[in-house]
Amino acid sequence: MYFEGAEKRLSLTLAPGCPSLRALGDAYWRRALLKSDTEILSKLSSEQCDAYLLSESSLFVWHDSLVLITCGNTRLIETVLFLVDSLGGKQLASLSFQRKSEILPALQSSRFEEDIARLSGMLRGNAYRIGHLDGHYHQLFFSGKMARLKPVQVVQMYHIRGDVADFLLSDKQSTQAIASRLNLSLLLSGFDLDAHLFSPLGYSLNALRGEDYFTLHITPQETSSYVSLETNLSLGAGLDGIVVELLKRLNPLSWDIAGFEAEEPGYCPEQYSLQARGELALADGQGLYIKHYKQRDCEQLLPVTL
Amino acid sequence: MYFEGAEKRLSLTLAPGCPSLRALGDAYWRRALLKSDTEILSKLSSEQCDAYLLSESSLFVWHDSLVLITCGNTRLIETVLFLVDSLGGKQLASLSFQRKSEILPALQSSRFEEDIARLSGMLRGNAYRIGHLDGHYHQLFFSGKMARLKPVQVVQMYHIRGDVADFLLSDKQSTQAIASRLNLSLLLSGFDLDAHLFSPLGYSLNALRGEDYFTLHITPQETSSYVSLETNLSLGAGLDGIVVELLKRLNPLSWDIAGFEAEEPGYCPEQYSLQARGELALADGQGLYIKHYKQRDCEQLLPVTL
């Protein structure tokens, strides 16, 4: 009943004037994803973007950029190396490769340092860690010019609890019932949705509204429960309300919000307090911020019999 | 500059009427410790106890019980299996084998579950985990009757900061200078002290006063700084003041206190808040408590370049 929800993430943008990434077609992405043992389950398109729902998370492809997120024990670095080789380093205006700290790192097939050693052989860049090794931390390799990266916000919730968390462990689930419990049709008004329920557990959602994307992944397993969302919506353009509503319904013990070139929240629901904040300066003095929040109340730790 | 400070710990008590453990002699302990690649560096004795300072932490031997603590990448389970075999399971009134969550578990030679599978083959017992997999947690295998365990308190401090933390990273250290910076002669008044400074970094202290023992281990390395102490002193009999003073001087970001059959603290220094509390019931309705404290202030996370 353990699943590693922590994501590996690639985002890249093309130099101006390069051929469209969308024109590469589904067969190309299938081949690229095979390198990390990941399959395409379904596809949703808007005028600006193709959103692929994957056996391990999501791929979003715009004409000049992409975001690829995988979880579990996937070897995303293999797809990253394939793409850099196939697209050609010179076509890339920027590339970031990230790994969130895993819950059980001993079960992963490589460490971030090993991935980076291989990637650095193909692309000049710098690697960073932010956060403590004995807690949640973020690892990032960055190459290129920050100015070409689009604003992105990521929210990660740990140890969800309560009615919705219980429902997500039950055998009464459906994608419709989850959307309803999370109030998604209201929260994501105007978006087209593509959702998938995994067996035995797990839920993924891709959503598109023109240029805007939103993706949500839920690992409900009790010892490692984890929910992540990523979007290019800004806090002011609706993300704020979505985060507050999902926090209320999922009631995580703690959560992070991180953003590339994005406005950071100035307040949080009152049951949480801001525990830590960090920022990472990348090219052009722009960068990434991270905030970590935790429930104010003293937590009751319950022993698990092994 | 990384060292795994997180300890593995064995404690056992003999059934009444068994021959004295102290009579087994230094050569026996040397042989037992060799199984986990650990050496005796020095020895301190009181009328009731032999305290061995080890290449990886400490061993305390009383007539009818022992506490053995090792850190780094030691395979303590090998010594545990040797002792159970050599002493004979029937001589043991109780045995507890614990592993603190490691900072880099992928570098350890075994997982707790693997250790326990081997130990369970020799001794009936139960295994537990308390705390979340993505934070600090404690793992414990317990066999026997709790009534035979003596009260013990353990304090673990994470991410020490400030003048003393800086000094512990400097090349100006000596055991005397560290004792002075930590005010140990006053805090451990009446105790005999046996301290060792490791190369390149690290400090261990064993202290005895008749039946009472106190041990302190410091891993000052910046990315994984960790300080632990263990004692049979009760909070009321001096431990309270020692903990408050060491917290003031070492200024950890967070700290745990855990006790077997020990009174738990009812307050903490005001810059900390209680984040979590748990308890584990063992035999006879007695057991272990754990409390986790963290600095109240929002922490400034600083990126590390990899």
Side-chain angles (χ1 to χ4, degrees), chain B residues 14 28-29 37-38 46 67 71-72 103 105 115 121 133 141 191 212 217 228 232 247 262 285:
Chain B
L14 294 187
Y28 176 83
W29 299 116
D37 298 324
T38 298
S46 72
V67 169
C71 59
I103 297 177
D115 291 353
L133 282 173
F141 171 91
F191 277 82
D212 297 335
H217 298 281
S228 74
N232 59 352
L247 287 172

Side-chain angles (χ1 to χ4, degrees), chain A residues 11 29 45 76 86 90 95 104-105 123 125 157 162 165 182-183 194 196 206 215 217-218 220 231 237 246-247 295 298:
Chain A
S11 75
W29 299 116
S45 292
L76 181 58
S86 157
K90 286 194 176 157
L95 179 145
L104 292 184
L123 211 59
M157 304 182 191
L182 296 177
N183 202 18
D194 180 15
H196 188 86
N206 282 348
T215 184
H217 298 281
I218 302 180
T231 183
L246 291 180
L247 287 173
Q295 297 244 3
C298 172

Side-chain angles (χ1 to χ4, degrees), chain A residues 199-210:
Chain A
S199 173
L201 290 169
Y203 171 84
S204 284
L205 169 78
N206 282 348
L208 286 179
R209 187 179 63 193

Side-chain angles (χ1 to χ4, degrees), chain A residues 122-137:
Chain A
M122 297 179 77
L123 211 59
R124 284 176 62 176
N126 295 306
Y128 309 92
R129 182 180 65 241
I130 187 162
H132 296 297
L133 283 173
D134 54 345
H136 296 152
Y137 57 90

Side-chain angles (χ1 to χ4, degrees), chain A residues 125-282:
Chain A
N126 295 306
Y128 309 92
R129 182 180 65 241
I130 187 162
H132 296 297
L133 283 173
D134 54 345
H136 296 152
Y137 57 90
H138 301 256
Q139 302 167 117
L140 178 136
F141 171 90
F142 183 76
S143 172
K145 295 189 188 67
M146 187 65 188
R148 293 283 305 148
L149 278 185
K150 298 171 181 176
V152 173
Q153 298 267 20
V154 177
V155 176
Q156 295 155 327
M157 304 182 191
Y158 313 99
H159 305 293
I160 58 172
R161 295 170 305 179
D163 289 353
V164 177
D166 293 344
F167 178 73
L168 291 164
L169 287 170
S170 76
D171 53 9
K172 300 187 192 84
Q173 295 175 72
S174 64
T175 54
Q176 294 76 8
I178 293 172
S180 156
R181 299 263 178 156
L182 296 177
N183 202 18
L184 293 181
S185 59
L186 194 70
L187 293 181
L188 295 172
S189 157
F191 277 82
D192 288 327
L193 308 188
D194 180 15
H196 188 86
L197 195 56
F198 291 86
S199 173
L201 290 169
Y203 171 84
S204 284
L205 169 78
N206 282 348
L208 286 179
R209 187 179 63 193
E211 184 83 16
D212 297 334
Y213 78 108
F214 181 95
T215 184
L216 177 70
H217 298 281
I218 302 180
T219 301
Q221 279 86 335
E222 233 174 333
T223 53
S224 57
S225 77
Y226 177 73
V227 174
S228 73
L229 69 85
E230 169 169 335
T231 183
N232 58 352
L233 283 182
S234 68
L235 289 164
L239 178 58
D240 209 347
I242 294 172
V243 172
V244 167
E245 187 70 14
L246 291 180
L247 287 173
K248 199 169 90 184
R249 290 174 187 244
L250 293 165
N251 190 31
L253 175 66
S254 64
W255 58 285
D256 291 346
I257 182 164
F260 275 108
E261 285 311 288
E263 189 198 8
E264 57 185 275
Y267 58 91
C268 72
E270 64 181 7
Q271 75 268 37
Y272 293 96
S273 68
L274 180 63
Q275 298 278 311
R277 182 191 175 282
E279 59 185 47
L280 176 58
L282 297 167

Side-chain angles (χ1 to χ4, degrees), chain B residues 3 7 41 53-58 71 164 167-168 173-185 188 193-207 214-221 226-228 246 250:
Chain B
F3 184 81
E7 281 103 356
L41 300 180
L53 203 142
L54 307 179
S55 55
E56 320 260 0
S57 302
S58 296
C71 59
V164 177
F167 178 74
L168 290 164
Q173 294 175 71
S174 64
T175 54
Q176 293 77 7
I178 293 172
S180 156
R181 298 262 178 157
L182 296 177
N183 203 17
L184 293 181
S185 59
L188 295 171
L193 308 188
D194 180 17
H196 189 86
L197 196 57
F198 290 86
S199 174
L201 291 169
Y203 171 82
S204 285
L205 169 78
N206 282 347
F214 181 95
T215 184
L216 178 70
H217 298 281
I218 302 179
T219 300
Q221 278 86 334
Y226 177 71
V227 174
S228 74
L246 291 180
L250 292 165

Side-chain angles (χ1 to χ4, degrees), chain B residues 83-147:
Chain B
L83 290 174
V84 172
D85 184 54
S86 156
L87 299 173
K90 287 196 176 155
Q91 293 222 47
L92 302 178
S94 70
L95 178 146
S96 85
F97 174 65
Q98 293 167 263
R99 275 178 70 165
K100 179 73 184 52
S101 51
E102 287 102 10
I103 297 177
L104 292 183
L107 301 184
Q108 293 290 312
S109 60
S110 71
R111 299 194 303 130
F112 181 70
E113 288 82 350
E114 293 163 343
D115 291 353
I116 289 315
R118 296 174 68 193
L119 188 51
S120 297
M122 297 179 78
L123 211 58
R124 285 178 60 178
N126 295 305
Y128 309 91
R129 182 180 64 242
I130 187 162
H132 297 298
L133 282 173
D134 55 344
H136 295 153
Y137 57 89
H138 301 256
Q139 302 168 116
L140 177 135
F141 171 91
F142 183 76
S143 172
K145 294 188 189 70
M146 188 63 187

Side-chain angles (χ1 to χ4, degrees), chain B:
Chain B
M1 282 296 283
Y2 171 77
F3 184 81
E4 185 66 70
E7 281 103 356
K8 304 167 184 75
R9 179 184 187 272
L10 167 71
S11 74
L12 62 82
T13 52
L14 294 187
C18 290
S20 168
L21 288 170
R22 296 181 76 189
L24 291 168
D26 294 356
Y28 176 83
W29 299 116
R30 221 170 265 122
R31 194 148 52 94
L33 292 166
L34 199 62
K35 303 283 176 188
S36 43
D37 298 324
T38 298
E39 284 175 59
I40 295 173
L41 300 180
S42 59
K43 181 183 177 182
L44 182 70
S45 292
S46 72
E47 202 179 320
Q48 294 91 344
C49 182
D50 295 314
Y52 299 89
L53 203 142
L54 307 179
S55 55
E56 320 260 0
S57 302
S58 296
L59 167 65
F60 293 88
V61 183
W62 292 265
H63 286 296
D64 64 346
S65 65
L66 72 79
V67 169
L68 170 57
I69 304 163
T70 65
C71 59
N73 296 340
T74 48
R75 296 167 294 125
L76 181 59
I77 187 63
E78 305 296 342
T79 298
V80 173
L81 296 174
F82 171 86
L83 290 174
V84 172
D85 184 54
S86 156
L87 299 173
K90 287 196 176 155
Q91 293 222 47
L92 302 178
S94 70
L95 178 146
S96 85
F97 174 65
Q98 293 167 263
R99 275 178 70 165
K100 179 73 184 52
S101 51
E102 287 102 10
I103 297 177
L104 292 183
L107 301 184
Q108 293 290 312
S109 60
S110 71
R111 299 194 303 130
F112 181 70
E113 288 82 350
E114 293 163 343
D115 291 353
I116 289 315
R118 296 174 68 193
L119 188 51
S120 297
M122 297 179 78
L123 211 58
R124 285 178 60 178
N126 295 305
Y128 309 91
R129 182 180 64 242
I130 187 162
H132 297 298
L133 282 173
D134 55 344
H136 295 153
Y137 57 89
H138 301 256
Q139 302 168 116
L140 177 135
F141 171 91
F142 183 76
S143 172
K145 294 188 189 70
M146 188 63 187
R148 294 283 304 147
L149 277 186
K150 299 171 183 177
V152 173
Q153 298 266 22
V154 176
V155 175
Q156 295 156 326
M157 304 182 190
Y158 313 99
H159 304 294
I160 58 172
R161 296 171 303 181
D163 290 351
V164 177
D166 293 343
F167 178 74
L168 290 164
L169 287 169
S170 75
D171 53 9
K172 300 187 193 86
Q173 294 175 71
S174 64
T175 54
Q176 293 77 7
I178 293 172
S180 156
R181 298 262 178 157
L182 296 177
N183 203 17
L184 293 181
S185 59
L186 193 70
L187 293 180
L188 295 171
S189 157
F191 277 82
D192 288 326
L193 308 188
D194 180 17
H196 189 86
L197 196 57
F198 290 86
S199 174
L201 291 169
Y203 171 82
S204 285
L205 169 78
N206 282 347
L208 287 179
R209 186 179 64 191
E211 186 83 14
D212 297 335
Y213 77 107
F214 181 95
T215 184
L216 178 70
H217 298 281
I218 302 179
T219 300
Q221 278 86 334
E222 232 174 333
T223 52
S224 57
S225 77
Y226 177 71
V227 174
S228 74
L229 68 86
E230 169 170 334
T231 183
N232 59 352
L233 282 182
S234 68
L235 289 164
L239 178 58
D240 209 346
I242 294 172
V243 172
V244 168
E245 187 70 15
L246 291 180
L247 287 172
K248 199 169 92 186
R249 290 173 186 243
L250 292 165
N251 189 31
L253 175 65
S254 64
W255 58 284
D256 292 346
I257 182 164
F260 276 109
E261 286 312 287
E263 190 198 8
E264 58 186 272
Y267 58 92
C268 72
E270 65 181 5
Q271 74 268 38
Y272 294 96
S273 69
L274 179 64
Q275 299 277 311
R277 184 192 174 282
E279 59 186 47
L280 177 58
L282 297 167
D284 300 337
Q286 303 175 287
L288 174 78
Y289 83 88
I290 286 171
K291 285 183 157 181
H292 182 64
Y293 301 85
K294 196 178 162 299
Q295 297 244 3
R296 285 181 192 278
D297 291 345
C298 172
E299 187 196 359
Q300 189 69 27
L301 294 174
L302 298 176
V304 175
T305 302
L306 299 177

